Amino acid sequence: MGPRKNAPRSSSAASPSSTTAPATMAPSTLDLLILTFNCAKNLINAAVFAPHLQAALLENAAGLPDMVVFSLQEVAPLSYAFVGSYFLNSYYARVEEALNLASVGALAATATATATATATGRDDGDDASRTERQQEKPAYTLVRAKNVGMTAILLFARDPAALQRIEEAECGFGAADMGNKGAVGLRVTWTDRGNGDDDDDNTFELGKTTEITFVATHLAAMEWNLKKRNSNWRTIASGLTFANPRVILPGVFPPSQAAPTRDRTGNKNLPQTDSTDESEVEDEATASDDYPLLSGRADLDLDPEHNSTLQDISIFKPTSHLFVAGDLNYRISETTPPPLAPFPSLDPASDNYFPAFLHRDQLTQERLAGRTLHGLAEAPIGFAPTYKCTVLDGAEGAINEAAVRTGATVHGVAEVPWKFASHRWPGWTDRVLYLDVPGAVGRAVDVCAYDSMPVMRSSDHRPVFLRVAVPVVEAEVMRAALSREVEADGEDPRAAPPVRVDVHAWERRAAARQKEIVVGWTALLWSTKEGALVLATLLVLGVSSWWLVRGW
């Protein structure tokens, strides 16, 4: 894991071991951890995942975050993901199990540190007893799980009652807008309920609130699909809406005439193609950057009230924070590596030490050029590439060969022998970005940690997490600050959205969902054990019925 340059941050809601209120109340913050992981269609091994997650929970922090959000890609096989949430529950349960195992371990570590401090003369007895009470019940509750195809978002909270409102959004950019690749969003209103004893929810009083928008996504794969990844982002910016535009503005927009093939920016009618695996090839028309992305900053033929209503249901709602996490698939080259190409090394003494490759990162280049992830920021990357990792059977040839041979462990788990796959450039495909608070607010998102987790046998990706303290900024304050951004010609996309809202995206998504159900059940019947059992049962019933009819 990469070194952390950020010191621990304090937060009014961050630490369960903080019982003494300061003389002057500090500005209210939400302690948040976001983790992205491409699960490679496998169930997570909770016993292995939990120790690594525990280390993430404690990195540069003294206590548990208020909220934990997972962005999961390839969360389950395509058939399960397309059929629906029933088949995903077991996959979600593994994540919940790992999180609560990790939180128990983190609280135990905190209690040990508290006991040590008490033994050296500090009186933290109340903290220790409070930690013991917290360990008696799961620290986190799964508040909402939502998927679009194989991409899922899971929202966990320590205090579910602090979440007053939850909205959902989804869009697909796979074949026929289906969700083999896509994005799913949650928007929550979080309330700072004060500094009470969380054993008694009735002691809290409603305080300040803040809105947060989370986007989990999986963009187009392959080195050469750079423009297609940018096109996927345009789809998110225009089509990932938290309400149906034609419902909230009835009579304003005509019915879609060619919804399945209409370009999502509203500028052209273009064919949409994709595939369900890494053999997907870029569609030049769909992925083209030739049409001006920023030409759609507003629908000039609509009145300001309608424009404002549309923006409020987009990811760039003026009063909301925004976090985007996922397998964004941006690489360090547009071509596959030639034979014997130098790969990033984990050895600081090497000429190919991985920081030397960061300047080639496509996401950073495209973001700074204004072609993707508009307005979003990213903490400095201090970790090695997270893809593509090949797990080996033994130590020979492993990038961590010496550690494996000596029986080294990471967070109490045996080192997994691995190396970078030779046919893919190693890249920082797994990322978490955020839209910072407008400058006029006078506060900013405070990064505590941005790091990766170790390689696990179940996936060729390494998880990446971001721990932040999010300022609790109320809607009126945020909107007023953005008004100043407009006056100052600021670049905050909440003040000047980069694309117009696609008012027909909901219709296309509803049609795509019907296709997903058909594809999912077909795949389930012909490619899974459950499907084979159903087919065998139907066959037996059919033969039995035939014999009965024949006997009559």
Side-chain angles (χ1 to χ4, degrees):
M1 295 195 299
R4 294 272 50 84
K5 298 181 180 180
N6 303 88
R9 277 21 179 213
S10 61
S11 151
S12 64
S15 174
S17 60
S18 299
T19 56
T20 303
T24 302
M25 283 297 291
S28 181
T29 57
L30 164 67
D31 191 348
L32 171 68
L33 185 138
I34 306 173
L35 185 147
T36 179
F37 184 35
N38 186 315
C39 304
K41 308 173 190 174
N42 292 316
L43 286 163
I44 286 175
N45 185 335
V48 172
F49 195 80
H52 300 320
L53 184 53
Q54 176 183 330
L57 292 172
L58 293 176
E59 184 165 329
N60 289 347
L64 298 179
D66 300 305
M67 192 185 302
V68 177
V69 177
F70 288 89
S71 168
L72 303 176
Q73 310 83 48
E74 298 188 14
V75 64
L78 184 71
S79 56
Y80 292 172
F82 273 11
V83 168
S85 59
Y86 172 79
F87 290 97
L88 297 178
N89 288 339
S90 59
Y91 292 83
Y92 297 161
R94 293 289 187 93
V95 178
E96 183 172 16
E97 178 187 1
L99 176 59
N100 281 310
L101 284 173
S103 64
V104 168
L107 289 172
T110 302
T112 300
T114 300
T116 301
T118 302
T120 57
R122 286 176 48 192
D123 184 12
D124 289 335
D126 289 342
D127 289 349
S129 61
R130 185 181 185 188
T131 300
E132 290 173 1
R133 292 196 304 272
Q134 290 169 333
Q135 288 178 296
E136 294 173 358
K137 59 182 180 180
Y140 290 98
T141 300
L142 177 59
V143 178
R144 186 65 58 90
K146 172 75 173 174
N147 78 294
V148 55
M150 293 190 290
T151 302
I153 186 168
L154 278 63
L155 171 64
F156 294 89
R158 299 195 68 193
D159 177 18
L163 303 177
Q164 300 299 314
R165 183 181 181 186
I166 304 177
E167 300 170 277
E168 299 178 348
E170 63 182 75
C171 67
F173 25 81
D177 288 329
M178 289 192 290
N180 47 293
K181 292 287 195 296
V184 58
L186 293 178
R187 175 169 290 154
V188 304
T189 300
W190 187 82
T191 303
D192 179 9
R193 304 212 299 160
N195 292 317
D197 183 350
D198 55 3
D199 288 339
D200 183 5
D201 289 341
N202 295 324
T203 63
F204 288 97
E205 294 181 1
L206 292 180
K208 291 184 177 180
T209 63
T210 197
E211 283 185 311
I212 311 177
T213 300
F214 300 103
V215 175
T217 187
H218 191 184
L219 305 187
M222 309 304 289
E223 284 89 346
W224 54 83
N225 268 342
L226 174 60
K227 289 183 178 180
K228 195 167 191 179
R229 287 186 274 279
N230 291 349
S231 176
N232 292 163
W233 167 249
R234 285 193 293 269
T235 300
I236 294 171
S238 64
L240 190 69
T241 55
F242 290 86
N244 187 340
R246 298 189 66 229
V247 171
I248 63 173
L249 292 174
V252 175
F253 306 105
S256 174
Q257 299 300 315
T261 58
R262 181 178 177 181
D263 175 62
R264 299 168 180 85
T265 64
N267 292 320
K268 292 182 179 180
N269 288 333
L270 300 170
Q272 302 295 325
T273 63
D274 207 337
S275 66
T276 59
D277 56 34
E278 283 204 330
S279 64
E280 57 189 309
V281 178
E282 179 178 4
D283 182 326
E284 291 294 341
T286 305
S288 174
D289 284 328
D290 294 338
Y291 55 89
L293 175 64
L294 300 181
S295 66
R297 281 179 174 248
D299 290 300
L300 300 181
D301 53 339
L302 295 178
D303 64 47
E305 183 177 350
H306 288 164
N307 276 325
S308 177
T309 299
L310 290 177
Q311 188 179 347
D312 281 349
I313 62 173
S314 75
I315 64 171
F316 293 121
K317 184 176 183 180
T319 56
S320 178
H321 299 280
L322 173 62
F323 292 87
V324 177
D327 179 359
L328 305 186
N329 257 321
Y330 286 92
R331 312 299 175 89
I332 62 173
S333 174
E334 291 191 56
T335 60
T336 54
L340 303 180
F343 274 15
S345 169
L346 274 59
D347 181 4
S350 170
D351 293 337
N352 296 317
Y353 188 39
F354 69 83
F357 290 79
L358 274 169
H359 72 280
R360 296 167 54 179
D361 175 58
Q362 291 177 345
L363 176 55
T364 301
Q365 294 172 355
E366 296 297 297
R367 182 172 59 85
L368 295 179
R371 291 189 286 265
T372 194
L373 281 294
H374 300 84
L376 274 71
E378 183 176 22
I381 295 176
F383 49 86
T386 58
Y387 175 85
K388 178 179 174 77
C389 306
T390 298
V391 175
L392 305 176
D393 293 329
E396 186 175 356
I399 201 169
N400 55 344
E401 181 175 348
V404 173
R405 290 193 183 281
T406 59
T409 62
V410 182
H411 311 138
V413 178
E415 280 263 10
V416 174
W418 67 279
K419 66 177 182 179
F420 288 120
S422 60
H423 65 293
R424 293 280 176 262
W425 278 109
W428 290 268
T429 58
D430 309 276
R431 312 282 274 272
V432 185
L433 293 90
Y434 60 95
L435 186 55
D436 213 338
V437 180
V441 172
R443 301 169 62 195
V445 172
D446 193 9
V447 176
C448 172
Y450 187 41
D451 211 342
S452 66
M453 289 165 58
V455 172
M456 288 171 277
R457 291 187 178 276
S458 62
S459 178
D460 53 2
H461 289 254
R462 297 166 65 192
V464 169
F465 64 91
L466 174 71
R467 178 79 174 265
V468 290
V470 183
V472 176
V473 183
E474 295 185 299
E476 297 80 4
V477 176
M478 187 84 86
R479 199 178 294 275
L482 282 173
S483 297
R484 298 183 193 176
E485 289 274 333
V486 173
E487 295 171 0
D489 295 325
E491 297 181 354
D492 193 312
R494 288 168 295 201
V499 294
R500 67 189 59 160
V501 170
D502 181 352
V503 298
H504 296 295
W506 271 62
E507 300 167 26
R508 290 197 306 277
R509 179 59 201 150
R513 180 64 191 127
Q514 298 305 311
K515 298 185 185 78
E516 288 177 359
I517 293 173
V518 173
V519 172
W521 276 111
T522 302
L524 187 70
L525 289 173
W526 292 103
S527 65
T528 66
K529 294 179 180 179
E530 293 89 344
L533 180 61
V534 170
L535 291 175
T537 302
L538 291 174
L539 179 61
V540 170
L541 289 174
V543 171
S544 300
S545 300
W546 180 78
W547 276 106
L548 287 173
V549 171
R550 187 167 178 255
W552 287 344

